Amino acid sequence: MTHDVFNQVPPLTGHDVSADPTLVEGLARQDADWALGELRTLGTLAGSAKAQEWGRLANDHPPVLRTHDRYGNRIDEVEFHPAWHELMTVAVGHGLHATAWTSPRPGAHVARAAKFYVWSQVEAGHGCPISMTYASVAALRHTRALAAEWEPLLASRNYDFGLRPAALKRGVLAGMAMTEKQGGSDVRANTTRAEPLGDGGYAITGHKWFNSAPMCDVFLVLAQAPGGLSCFLLPRVLPDGSRNAMRIMRLKDKLGNKSNASAEVEYEGALAFLVGEEGRGIRTIIEMVNMTRLDCVIGSASGMRYGVTQAVHHTSHRRAFGKALAEQPLMRNVLADLALESEAATAVMVRLAGATDKAIRGDTDEGALRRTALAAAKYWVCKRAPAHAAESLECFGGNGYVEESQMPRLFRESPLNGIWEGSGNVAALDVLRATMKEPEALDAFFQEVDLATGADHRLDAAVLEVKDSLTDVATLEYSARRVVERLALILQASLLVRHSTPDVADAFCASRLAADWGHAFGTLPPGLDLAPIIDRATVKIA
């Protein structure tokens, strides 16, 4: 032997990923603590070596497109590694997809969000079809007949992979196709057309530049009908067992999200059915977008939690200059700063899940809050995720840059949620649109924030500053990112002041609301008690 192997960090396995104080405390506030038992079961599996190996294998062996069978017949099938199917079986079996829509229990969508947050820390890519399936129900409910036909299959806890008629399957999954080459986020520029067939169906002809999860059973698609841009439901397999005329041209070679398939597709008179009304496609599909935007926030918060727990674990076991890295003052500053960002993201995620649950059940005030707060959180939480992932990776030193650490996978995944369902500018401008055209949404936002009035002078001052900035109409669009950032920060601060520990709330307000905030992680001001902040991000292994 040339040397002894020591000072290496043991793998972080054998723990309950759901043992997250911010998450658990939030569930109790949002009527979902009844789900803690199932959440712990899922969290224990998420912390196991077996599940982590599934995540690695699904990314090391990405999906493969098979356009034709051995005889030359067009099949357009996507093949996955068995680990992908293991991940999907767990996700569907625990109801991370559309099951919450069928539950009469208050907090069902919050419980679903918590499970999505926990299980995404194993592997994020397979969350795409899970999220699409969850969100599709919101759009389908614009047409009762379609919802009655498809919702039971979408909500089923049976993962039944393979292209067969829906009537022969125990459960189905949904995808979405909006974006075209020439338009991007400007979906009104779409050219794909929908021609009425006279029997209630439409023939879809055209293309999509991004088709999310092309292996799914059914898709929501935007196309130009005689009455304008409209939303359609397009099945992959027709009732007679034949393949619908949806051609997968190629799979995207992406920066991250390697385990999941994203595709370019063409339609050659594919059969589809109108969802909602002709000419109101954006209004119809925006219901789905709002749900997937919530999942963007959940996914980014999940990635942050994974990053900080990995960083704390690594630095607690790695020694340098005579003591553990986590005991070095500057590293403690970094770890506490990462923990603050993670906790703030989780807190706002749980609150938004609660608002969503209540809005679905008819609470108009919660629906108004979600209108502004969700877009602001989508912008800010997703924007912070890449920086958070990079800093968490850096805590590993060179080891974090090596694929075996799994930190590069986290880093590659981190920008996705900021792009998906409207990039930063789209989300920021959507907030401004709400503030100018829907005053009840802005009122609901500040009513939520004002619940913390008087608890922290820095928060009180920041709220006044933001309210003042919204009156400068002349420069509002130019300054949209700055304004929306401040809106998100005061919402996070108000939640932490009201619900977290005094140490967390004090450190967050002292840094994020200060005029001289150092945006690099590890720039917290002196005089803060960092120990309890880091402790909340420390995984306890049985």
Side-chain angles (χ1 to χ4, degrees):
M1 294 180 63
T2 60
H3 64 284
D4 293 326
V5 177
F6 66 101
N7 198 24
Q8 291 291 298
V9 178
L12 179 51
T13 60
H15 61 289
D16 177 4
V17 175
S18 75
D20 176 343
T22 311
L23 180 67
V24 173
E25 294 159 9
L27 292 188
R29 292 194 299 273
Q30 299 299 329
D31 305 320
D33 51 352
W34 51 265
L36 284 174
E38 187 178 0
L39 189 63
R40 290 190 189 101
T41 300
L42 183 63
T44 301
L45 179 59
S48 70
K50 175 175 66 174
Q52 292 175 25
E53 182 68 357
W54 291 340
R56 183 189 71 80
L57 289 170
N59 281 269
D60 286 355
H61 302 277
V64 176
L65 173 62
R66 304 296 185 193
T67 56
H68 296 77
D69 67 12
R70 60 184 291 192
Y71 304 106
N73 299 305
R74 187 96 197 204
I75 58 173
D76 295 290
E77 292 193 0
V78 184
E79 292 182 355
F80 290 85
H81 188 275
W84 166 273
H85 298 301
E86 296 283 6
L87 293 165
M88 291 293 293
T89 298
V90 173
V92 173
H94 282 266
L96 276 64
H97 58 319
T99 303
W101 293 98
T102 63
S103 173
R105 198 162 191 174
H109 291 268
V110 183
R112 179 260 166 194
K115 289 186 282 189
F116 191 82
Y117 169 90
V118 165
W119 191 240
S120 293
Q121 292 180 53
V122 175
E123 201 285 316
H126 78 290
C128 176
I130 296 298
S131 180
M132 296 281 95
T133 303
Y134 170 64
S136 67
V137 175
L140 282 178
R141 288 188 171 183
H142 283 267
T143 300
R144 290 184 179 180
L146 289 176
E149 177 184 358
W150 287 93
E151 196 170 313
L153 286 169
L154 292 165
S156 168
R157 291 199 181 204
N158 293 296
Y159 174 60
D160 192 357
F161 184 79
L163 296 182
R164 300 186 302 281
L168 302 180
K169 301 193 71 173
R170 295 173 298 134
V172 300
L173 298 173
M176 180 169 63
M178 293 197 298
T179 306
E180 297 183 8
K181 294 182 180 75
Q182 72 284 348
S185 295
D186 183 11
V187 294
R188 294 188 185 278
N190 284 6
T191 60
T192 295
R193 63 186 186 275
E195 300 172 358
L197 296 174
D199 59 358
Y202 287 74
I204 307 293
T205 303
H207 83 283
K208 293 297 173 184
W209 188 232
F210 279 94
N211 175 245
S212 296
M215 61 286 185
C216 288
D217 302 281
V218 66
F219 299 88
L220 290 179
V221 177
L222 287 180
Q224 298 286 358
L229 189 64
S230 307
C231 180
F232 297 89
L233 181 143
L234 189 152
R236 279 294 308 276
V237 180
L238 301 177
D240 64 2
S242 63
R243 304 289 171 89
N244 206 354
M246 170 184 162
R247 315 301 185 202
I248 303 177
M249 308 312 291
R250 62 173 176 169
L251 300 184
K252 295 289 193 181
D253 186 6
K254 299 168 292 185
L255 167 68
N257 204 245
K258 295 290 188 179
S259 68
N260 176 48
S262 305
E264 298 167 23
V265 301
E266 293 183 358
Y267 310 109
E268 302 176 26
L271 177 64
F273 304 93
L274 182 66
V275 181
E277 303 174 29
E278 273 197 17
R280 298 175 70 84
I282 294 178
R283 180 179 290 271
T284 300
I285 211 165
I286 200 68
E287 298 292 341
M288 184 175 187
V289 170
N290 279 334
M291 294 299 165
T292 47
R293 280 185 173 179
L294 173 61
D295 280 5
C296 289
V297 177
I298 299 171
S300 291
S302 175
M304 289 187 198
R305 176 66 181 179
Y306 176 85
V308 69
T309 55
Q310 291 290 332
V312 170
H313 176 77
H314 180 90
T315 56
S316 296
H317 289 83
R318 181 78 168 175
R319 296 182 62 82
F321 307 107
K323 56 184 176 181
L325 281 172
E327 297 174 2
Q328 307 282 359
L330 188 52
M331 180 59 78
R332 293 181 65 75
N333 196 322
V334 171
L335 296 174
D337 215 352
L338 290 170
L340 288 176
E341 197 70 37
S342 171
E343 179 154 351
T346 302
V348 78
M349 173 272 287
V350 175
R351 181 64 185 93
L352 289 171
T356 298
D357 189 86
K358 295 179 180 70
I360 289 170
R361 301 176 195 282
D363 190 323
T364 56
D365 291 337
E366 291 289 294
L369 169 63
R370 187 184 70 153
R371 174 67 185 90
T372 307
L374 178 56
K378 161 65 168 77
Y379 169 76
W380 181 241
V381 174
C382 297
K383 188 64 65 182
R384 292 292 281 168
H388 193 279
E391 196 68 56
S392 298
L393 181 155
E394 189 174 323
C395 290
F396 284 63
N399 292 318
Y401 207 68
V402 175
E403 290 291 344
E404 288 175 322
S405 73
Q406 303 302 324
M407 297 304 284
R409 192 175 88 204
L410 173 68
F411 183 65
R412 287 192 299 269
E413 197 74 29
S414 62
L416 177 59
N417 287 314
I419 299 169
W420 194 30
E421 304 300 29
S423 56
N425 285 354
V426 172
L429 293 173
D430 194 30
V431 175
L432 295 194
R433 189 178 303 112
T435 63
M436 292 185 286
K437 295 185 177 181
E438 303 175 48
E440 69 280 2
L442 187 61
D443 290 344
F445 180 89
F446 281 113
Q447 286 171 13
E448 175 73 18
V449 171
D450 287 344
L451 292 173
T453 299
D456 188 287
H457 67 92
R458 296 158 297 195
L459 174 57
D460 293 344
V463 171
L464 293 175
E465 174 208 335
V466 173
K467 288 180 177 179
D468 184 62
S469 69
L470 289 169
T471 64
D472 189 3
V473 179
T475 63
L476 199 52
E477 183 172 335
Y478 177 82
S479 305
R481 285 189 173 218
R482 176 63 174 165
V483 173
V484 174
E485 173 185 318
R486 298 299 284 178
L487 285 169
L489 286 171
I490 62 172
L491 176 59
Q492 289 180 320
S494 70
L495 292 170
L496 295 180
V497 165
R498 290 161 54 202
H499 304 304
S500 190
T501 66
D503 306 292
V504 168
D506 180 41
F508 189 88
C509 292
S511 55
R512 273 62 174 173
L513 302 183
D516 60 346
W517 175 29
H519 283 69
F521 287 101
T523 56
L524 294 176
L528 300 172
D529 187 358
L530 305 185
I533 300 172
I534 297 172
D535 183 65
R536 286 172 68 85
T538 302
V539 170
K540 311 301 189 295
I541 301 176

